[in-house]
Amino acid sequence: MNIPAMPPLVKIRSERDQMSAIERRIADFILENAHLLRDYSSQQLASALGVSQSSVVKFSQKFGFRGYPDLKYSIGQALARNGGDAPAGAPPETDDAYVRLEEGLRRSKTAAEEETRLINPRERIEAIVGLVDGAGKVFVCGLGDDGLFAREFAMRLSLLGVLTVHHADPILMMANLSAARPGDVLLLFSEFGQLPQLCQLSRQFQACEGKVVSITRHTANPLRAHADATLVVSAHDPAPHVAQLLYRSSLQYLLDFLFVLLCQANPDRHRQLNINLERIQHLLDS
């Protein structure tokens, strides 16, 4: 049996946004009814969803399984290891609405952060750390809510002694690209990766022989497609406002880990961080 290293429900959820309409229908049923899947044959599942049996089989094979029975078995094993039949993000069974909301959000955040960790493999993260640490300058840009994360991360890079150019205005950033040199890095924050201004910035920066790192949702999008390296975030929930919270939480986790790795990768950076933090504290105390 060929079972992928990534837990099957995590893999399915993280890939959902890149699926076809039929695949999403199958995925949503499996994610919402994982604990009932043992009672369904491939034909019964296909009939319940109004799709062909071959679609169910192909869906299973897409995730590295020989067929639907292997997928069903793997999901059952994963649920058993997790200590029960409830999905990771399922709220506890209680009549107290406050407790349901609190525990449900906590579980959903934990699941989203774990999915985000799994879809950003170590080799990819370490390569991006190497790019940033070795860059002469790091340009950072994000618009709207993405701009808040871009600004904070640019500040953290500055504390490490990285020469950072940050703008929340793509026109000002475009003007600053005249200072870009080969080996410089551009970090572009864009949740959905669709903004044409950022895509244009990416092309112009690469024309200067710089490296572009995109930070987006784990979806097929033009910014991610043309970047030299990518960080991706998994955050799914039926309620849009909760999905947005999960995105912010998972993105913050990812950036925090990247920052910690940068601190450890270069002792000189770590020393500069301590010096800068001490200077800031003196300024606050004066």
Side-chain angles (χ1 to χ4, degrees), residues 108-120:
S108 294
K109 280 188 172 185
T110 300
E113 289 177 12
E114 177 65 7
E115 290 168 21
T116 296
R117 182 184 70 82
L118 290 169
I119 61 178
N120 289 279

Side-chain angles (χ1 to χ4, degrees), residues 29-30 163 185 196-197 204 214 216 231:
F29 183 90
I30 291 175
L163 181 55
V185 171
Q197 307 98 310
Q204 291 296 324
S214 68
T216 71
L231 292 172

Side-chain angles (χ1 to χ4, degrees), residues 71 231 234 244:
L71 172 62
L231 292 172
S234 177
Q244 181 63 33

Side-chain angles (χ1 to χ4, degrees), residues 14-52:
S14 68
E15 296 286 346
R16 183 190 179 281
D17 290 342
Q18 302 182 72
M19 295 178 186
S20 67
I22 289 178
E23 288 172 340
R24 281 199 300 272
R25 195 182 309 171
I26 299 171
D28 288 345
F29 183 90
I30 291 175
L31 292 171
E32 294 168 10
N33 302 280
H35 56 298
L36 300 176
L37 209 59
R38 60 177 177 263
D39 299 325
Y40 282 82
S41 67
S42 59
Q43 183 58 60
Q44 289 170 326
L45 180 59
S47 298
L49 296 176
V51 300
S52 67

